[in-house]
């Protein structure tokens, strides 16, 4: 391949999907399913997102109860087809590899959105991203409709905040998000809990990595 990078991987417990960005100049996102014995389920990688300009930084989450498929590998990515700084997504059937929306669904089209991360809590999705060096998020249904505001602030400070990672689920059905934060003059990891309703439960952020390591 030419310039493959930004790998991501997900499983439904029966097989795996590996995705990555590839290309010199304009990039696209490709994927390949692998069974538990290590056998490639496609003879060649397939295109997940191959619109004009660049699609990169894929992030996955596994969901059940998808309206189109009984289960789905949900993937989101950075997309520059309309000038850069947007986030698109789609679902992939784990059993067949069929792509739900071959051209992708536009999820974030305002501001300058980068570094997406996606999580599932058993009923809905939380999408987080770096928006102009602040951490933003939105709640989505499994058919890609926004629940509540188009975006809400998770963390906004005078210094840079970036590289969000979000996970959902557990007995309390809440999300947790962590990110790189430079508020103290050096890069540290901060985090917060986020409710199913989109309430940021630790609005000042919690310092997770100690200073000075």
């Amino acid at each position: 391949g030419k310039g493959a990078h930004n790998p991501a991987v997900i499983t439904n417990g029966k097989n795996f999907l590996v995705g990555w960005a590839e290309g010199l100049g304009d990039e696209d996102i490709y994927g390949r399913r692998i069974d538990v014995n290590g056998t490639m389920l496609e003879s060649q990688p397939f295109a997940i997102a191959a619109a004009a300009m660049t699609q990169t930084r894929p992030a996955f989450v596994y969901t059940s109860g998808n309206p189109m498929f009984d289960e789905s590998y949900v993937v989101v990515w950075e997309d520059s087809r309309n000038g850069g700084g947007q986030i698109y997504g789609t679902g992939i059937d784990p059993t067949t590899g069929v792509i739900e929306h071959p051209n992708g669904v536009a999820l974030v089209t305002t501001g300058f959105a980068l570094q997406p991360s996606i999580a599932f809590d058993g009923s809905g999705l939380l999408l987080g991203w770096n928006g102009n060096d602040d951490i933003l998020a939105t709640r989505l249904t499994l058919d890609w409709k926004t629940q509540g505001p188009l975006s809400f602030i998770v963390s906004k400070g005078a210094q840079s905040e970036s590289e969000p990672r979000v996970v959902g689920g557990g007995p309390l059905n809440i999300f947790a998000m962590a990110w790189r934060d430079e508020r103290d003059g050096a890069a540290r990891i901060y985090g917060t809990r986020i409710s199913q309703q989109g309430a940021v439960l630790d609005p000042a952020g919690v310092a997770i990595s100690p200073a000075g390591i």
Side-chain angles (χ1 to χ4, degrees):
K2 53 178 184 178
H5 61 288
N6 287 332
V9 65
I10 191 70
T11 184
N12 65 347
K14 303 170 188 174
N15 63 41
F16 305 89
L17 174 64
V18 178
W20 65 93
E22 185 166 354
L24 298 175
D26 291 347
E27 299 173 7
D28 296 315
I29 295 172
Y30 295 90
R32 205 167 185 185
R33 294 175 306 131
I34 306 167
D35 72 14
V36 294
N37 297 312
T39 302
M40 302 292 173
L41 298 179
E42 287 85 23
S43 60
Q44 295 292 328
F46 61 93
I48 295 173
M53 307 302 289
T54 286
Q55 290 78 45
T56 191
R57 289 184 182 272
F60 289 132
V61 70
Y62 168 75
T63 69
S64 57
N66 183 283
M68 184 169 178
F69 310 128
D70 289 336
E71 55 178 356
S72 184
Y73 291 142
V74 169
V75 56
V76 295
W77 63 85
E78 290 180 16
D79 201 299
S80 66
R81 71 183 73 183
N82 296 313
Q86 298 185 340
I87 295 172
Y88 277 65
T90 192
I92 301 170
D93 187 331
T95 302
T96 65
V98 170
I99 297 175
E100 180 182 5
H101 298 284
N103 202 39
V105 177
L107 302 175
V108 184
T109 58
T110 58
F112 199 74
L114 302 171
Q115 301 168 348
S117 183
I118 188 88
F120 177 61
D121 68 351
S123 60
L125 299 164
L126 183 71
L127 172 65
W129 68 92
N130 170 359
N132 291 312
D133 286 336
D134 294 318
I135 305 301
L136 304 177
T138 193
R139 294 184 301 129
L140 300 166
T141 65
L142 291 178
D143 56 356
W144 303 106
K145 293 182 174 61
T146 302
Q147 294 181 295
L150 291 177
S151 68
F152 60 88
I153 295 171
V154 176
S155 183
K156 181 179 178 65
Q159 304 300 320
S160 173
E161 293 137 327
S162 62
E163 301 175 15
R165 299 292 185 271
V166 61
V167 67
L172 299 180
N173 288 322
I174 63 173
F175 297 97
M177 185 179 289
W179 62 90
R180 184 179 190 267
D181 197 304
E182 298 182 17
R183 72 180 72 183
D184 301 320
R188 297 177 65 185
I189 303 302
Y190 274 69
T192 186
R193 298 161 299 144
I194 301 173
S195 75
Q196 284 185 307
Q197 293 72 39
V200 179
L201 302 178
D202 308 288
V206 176
I208 296 171
S209 69
I213 291 181

